[in-house]
Amino acid sequence: MTENRKVKAFVEESAILLQPNQIYWCDGSLAEATQLMEELVLQNKAIRLNQSLRPGCYLFRSDPSDVARVENRTFIASIDEKDAGPTNNWVHPDELKATMRQFFRGSMKGRTMYVIPFSMGPIGSHFSKIGIQITDSPYVVLNMRIMTRMGKSVLELLDQGSDFVPCLHSIGYPLNEGEMDPLWPCAPIEQKYISHFPEEKLIWSYGSGYGGNALLGKKCFSLRIASFIAKEEGWLAEHMLIIKVTNPLGRVKYFTGAFPSACGKTNLSMMVPSIPGWKVETIGDDIAWIKIGPDGRLYATNPEAGFFGVAPGTSVFSNPNAMKCIQKDTIFTNVALTDEGDVWWEGLTKSTPKHLIDWQGNDWNQASSSKAAHPNSRFTASIQNCPCISSNWEDTNGVPISAILFGGRRPDTIPLVLESTSWEHGVFLGSIMGSEMTAATISNEIGNVRRDPFAMKPFIGYHVCDYFNHWLSFTNRTKEELLPKIYMVNWFQKDQEGQFLWPGFGENARVLQWIFERCDQQVDTISTPIGKIPNPRDLNLDGLHISKNRFEQLFNIDPTSWKKEVTSIHNYYQSLGSTLPKVLKEQLEKLETYYT
Ligand code: GTP
Ligand code: SPV
Ligand code: MN
């Protein structure tokens, strides 16, 4: 409880609308989490994993309709439709609230209403912002406890009068007297609403219990609402990992990287470099808040406190640090269960177990045609568990950024690495990012390439063209030479057989080395119409067996593909409307002189 009047009013008004059986204020303690988990195990909603193999670990299985973010049910309800822009779903806030109020009315009947005070960012840092999530999902409480700084310490800040973002959440499944509670209650897809009211700095989420739909500190607050605040206040809220890179001489640089959902942020943020003497440490794996520091450089912080990471593909070979991270005190959602009471997913082991229980609770064997783990199955683990966490991860002033990487899943067209020629050109590269869609969002377009500018398509809380302009404005806010260098990378090119051309994962350190050395002007570049690529002699390929032909393919800038690309960018830019920044149009026109 708190004496903060605004908090009390929010909780009281919510309770009147939602009509829960009881209200519970979360203190964030271990005892509280243990008790909640015990209750869920008794109700069969959580499965206690084999505690000698995975101490403190539990498995949840969601409803098959509630397995990922729902972008077509996600709304930016700005007062004026124009402010939401062409890439967001818009409904007038009054109309949306009226609709949602009907769903919220009585939606917590028969349930407990949990009040979760949380901080995004280290407590006491000038970066940090507070939220209060109201929810009827104990699963959400347990996940928020890992993903954010949650509980008592935040209540103390609220007692001192700190402001907060109200985050209202209900799974949308009231329980009437005597009614059976399903294992994963949620509302049907057409009743789900993930709504943002940017001017009011308010979040309402109804009908889903999964990931970014329900853990409101993450995408809803730290990206959609925060990006809106950041524009007002002159900073950036980005879908980016943050890493600390140390070279063999002990010199340190920090990089951030924006990659769309399920395109490699967690993996890059925890990578074990394949090249001797280099070290990568994690600051964040999904979100970066970035501000100009007193010296004019950009400083980044990770507002989260945990990882909500993609399970499939994670293994001791691809990401040994993540494997250590999820050894204990981890919540698994929608992965498969082994006969020993451990977890399994596609890509975890070289051979497949003979028998499993799949993510839907059914028997599964090697002859089964379906996946044992859902492609968007996830682990929730504390950043404290991460063996490669940087000692700087909670620096209250953030870490100074030397380079920004943009990357997507592109089977062709985009070379392994490309350096921008200026900040403006870098913003252009960010704006034209494309990527194959992944299972991180519910869609029937998975595998198709879509434009995902700055990996923020689903997360910009306002007009995409204003967002581009905001990025461009940084050359007026500080000296351009103090801004990070900007790179486009692509780990995902494929050969004719559909195999990845580049080994990826720890081998991506070779690209990081080149970027590191570029930041120090130690190596030069080759200019191309699309940007600067490495001089082949400068990319460290020691110990990597890659044919000359494959290497050339990785940097091939194919005119036929680029003609298509330029047409596609042209059409995309047209779809963004008349407020597209002129300088970006000019960047495209320059490219069009080479590729038409
Ligand atoms: P979100 O949490 O959805 O934002 O995803 P993310 O960007 O953190 O992606 P993540 O690192 O979890 O990787 C997603 C998938 O891509 C996993 O199955 C990885 O194994 C795979 N992946 C990551 N890095 C590489 C790489 O360098 N090469 C290849 N081929 N696959 C990769
Ligand atoms: C993403 O989809 O980019 C994620 C997972 O990081 S979720 O939290 O569900 O948004
Ligand atoms: Mn993400």
Side-chain angles (χ1 to χ4, degrees):
M1 283 282 259
T2 169
E3 288 312 308
N4 182 314
R5 283 182 39 205
K6 195 174 155 195
V7 177
K8 279 169 89 170
F10 172 50
V11 172
E12 279 160 21
E13 282 160 22
S14 302
I16 290 169
L17 178 65
L18 303 161
Q19 302 163 35
N21 266 4
Q22 53 178 335
I23 300 175
Y24 178 84
W25 290 74
C26 301
D27 65 14
S29 65
L30 177 62
E32 173 182 277
T34 309
Q35 198 194 329
L36 272 179
M37 193 62 95
E38 286 299 320
E39 286 165 18
L40 289 168
V41 170
L42 283 175
Q43 297 164 21
N44 293 323
K45 289 182 173 180
I47 296 163
R48 193 190 310 277
L49 293 168
N50 183 327
Q51 296 295 297
S52 48
L53 298 173
R54 277 189 207 270
C57 294
Y58 294 83
L59 167 63
F60 287 81
R61 295 188 188 124
S62 79
D63 186 272
S65 72
D66 200 25
V67 292
R69 283 184 297 100
V70 281
E71 290 182 12
N72 62 345
R73 305 298 310 159
T74 299
F75 301 90
I76 299 297
S78 46
I79 293 162
D80 189 338
E81 180 172 7
K82 282 207 293 290
D83 294 332
T87 55
N88 285 313
N89 299 311
W90 177 86
V91 178
H92 190 280
D94 293 344
E95 184 189 332
L96 187 56
K97 280 187 183 170
T99 309
M100 287 188 75
R101 244 187 229 112
Q102 289 180 15
F103 285 112
F104 274 133
R105 188 157 294 123
S107 77
M108 291 194 184
K109 272 193 188 145
R111 300 192 185 277
T112 299
M113 177 175 120
Y114 300 92
V115 182
I116 311 173
F118 65 94
S119 170
M120 299 315 297
I123 289 180
S125 157
H126 61 83
F127 277 99
S128 301
K129 303 228 174 280
I130 292 177
I132 296 182
Q133 177 162 357
I134 281 176
T135 182
D136 48 4
S137 163
Y139 168 83
V140 165
V141 174
L142 290 164
N143 277 271
M144 285 290 284
R145 179 171 178 269
I146 299 174
M147 295 305 296
T148 72
R149 284 104 173 152
M150 185 256 256
K152 244 193 183 128
S153 49
V154 182
L155 272 183
E156 282 160 18
L157 290 180
L158 289 164
D159 282 337
Q160 292 156 24
S162 288
D163 202 6
F164 65 96
V165 170
C167 308
L168 189 58
H169 173 247
S170 171
I171 51 176
Y173 203 102
L175 271 185
N176 296 311
E177 203 57 40
E179 198 180 335
M180 245 258 300
D181 195 13
L183 293 180
W184 183 282
C186 63
I189 182 98
E190 66 283 0
Q191 288 175 17
K192 294 190 208 292
Y193 288 87
I194 319 301
S195 304
H196 307 76
F197 304 91
E199 288 100 348
E200 279 182 83
K201 305 180 180 61
L202 176 70
I203 301 162
W204 282 12
S205 166
Y206 181 89
S208 168
Y210 204 90
N213 300 332
L215 311 178
L216 301 188
K218 200 171 175 59
K219 299 293 158 60
C220 299
F221 184 157
S222 296
L223 290 179
R224 297 195 192 95
I225 295 295
S227 66
F228 181 87
I229 299 174
K231 175 159 178 299
E232 284 182 335
E233 296 180 353
W235 50 281
L236 296 166
E238 299 298 327
H239 192 201
M240 287 181 179
L241 66 97
I242 313 169
I243 48 176
K244 175 179 185 177
V245 184
T246 308
N247 79 357
L249 299 174
R251 284 178 54 87
V252 167
K253 290 187 198 305
Y254 299 93
F255 299 166
T256 66
F259 298 71
S261 301
C263 291
K265 290 182 298 302
T266 302
N267 278 270
L268 188 62
S269 77
M270 297 182 189
M271 74 132 79
V272 180
S274 63
I275 42 180
W278 288 78
K279 189 158 81 178
V280 169
E281 291 163 291
T282 316
I283 308 258
D285 83 320
D286 199 50
I287 298 176
W289 285 355
I290 303 173
K291 285 186 177 175
I292 299 174
D295 60 358
R297 295 187 69 189
L298 295 194
Y299 284 75
T301 201
N302 170 16
E304 302 192 277
F307 307 115
F308 184 63
V310 176
T314 309
S315 72
V316 287
F317 313 104
S318 64
N319 193 346
N321 284 322
M323 291 306 294
K324 284 182 198 139
C325 204
I326 60 179
Q327 201 52 57
K328 61 169 191 177
D329 303 329
T330 299
I331 295 172
F332 294 92
T333 310
N334 287 345
V335 302
L337 179 68
T338 70
D339 293 349
E340 295 76 45
D342 200 357
V343 289
W344 193 85
W345 46 77
E346 280 70 17
L348 175 68
T349 49
K350 288 201 168 136
S351 60
T352 306
K354 285 207 172 63
H355 176 259
L356 293 163
I357 304 293
D358 74 9
W359 67 276
Q360 300 194 66
N362 300 317
D363 279 306
W364 187 97
N365 63 43
Q366 292 168 342
S368 302
S369 54
S370 56
K371 299 235 189 278
H374 187 278
N376 191 42
S377 54
R378 300 245 168 191
F379 54 78
T380 321
S382 169
I383 203 163
Q384 309 283 358
N385 278 3
C386 180
C388 55
I389 191 72
S390 156
S391 58
N392 304 95
W393 90 276
E394 291 195 286
D395 282 3
T396 47
N397 293 322
V399 293
I401 301 306
S402 298
I404 297 173
L405 282 60
F406 293 132
R409 283 179 188 264
R410 293 298 302 265
D412 47 46
T413 313
I414 308 291
L416 181 65
V417 57
L418 186 69
E419 185 183 287
S420 66
T421 53
S422 63
W423 181 260
E424 192 178 295
H425 180 242
V427 173
F428 172 70
L429 292 181
S431 79
I432 64 166
M433 269 174 73
S435 192
E436 289 174 335
M437 287 186 72
T438 64
T441 178
I442 294 176
S443 165
N444 40 26
E445 303 239 7
I446 291 171
N448 292 350
V449 171
R450 75 159 171 186
R451 295 288 151 199
D452 189 348
F454 295 76
M456 282 287 280
K457 185 302 153 191
F459 309 121
I460 303 171
Y462 56 100
H463 197 300
V464 60
C465 293
D466 295 339
Y467 172 88
F468 294 162
N469 260 319
H470 183 49
W471 265 82
L472 289 166
S473 75
F474 276 72
T475 48
N476 305 327
R477 294 169 195 272
T478 187
K479 293 201 192 92
E480 179 156 356
E481 63 267 27
L482 295 175
L483 287 168
K485 291 169 93 71
I486 296 180
Y487 295 84
M488 184 90 125
V489 300
N490 180 19
W491 319 140
F492 298 98
Q493 281 187 82
K494 287 184 176 166
D495 62 17
Q496 254 118 32
E497 277 79 54
Q499 300 296 314
F500 288 116
L501 272 175
W502 176 250
F505 303 101
E507 304 291 2
N508 294 334
R510 299 173 189 279
V511 174
L512 296 185
Q513 175 179 348
W514 182 72
I515 293 173
F516 195 105
E517 289 169 358
R518 279 295 300 154
C519 291
D520 285 339
Q521 311 275 315
Q522 286 178 328
V523 292
D524 59 12
T525 57
I526 296 174
S527 289
T528 82
I530 60 171
K532 301 188 262 185
I533 58 171
N535 195 323
R537 62 161 188 250
D538 294 326
L539 203 66
N540 178 355
L541 296 178
D542 291 353
L544 181 69
H545 303 289
I546 187 165
S547 68
K548 191 158 176 276
N549 183 286
R550 255 176 132 71
F551 185 77
E552 278 166 6
Q553 276 188 64
L554 283 166
F555 287 100
N556 183 26
I557 297 164
D558 172 44
T560 317
S561 309
W562 271 92
K563 269 182 203 163
K564 267 199 230 150
E565 183 72 3
V566 162
T567 307
S568 154
I569 298 167
H570 186 96
N571 294 338
Y572 176 66
Y573 268 10
Q574 277 196 330
S575 77
L576 300 184
S578 58
T579 56
L580 183 82
K582 198 164 145 268
V583 292
L584 296 185
K585 242 180 271 171
E586 287 164 2
Q587 287 283 344
L588 178 59
E589 281 159 11
K590 219 188 299 172
L591 257 191
E592 282 172 329
T593 64
Y594 294 96
Y595 302 113
T596 40

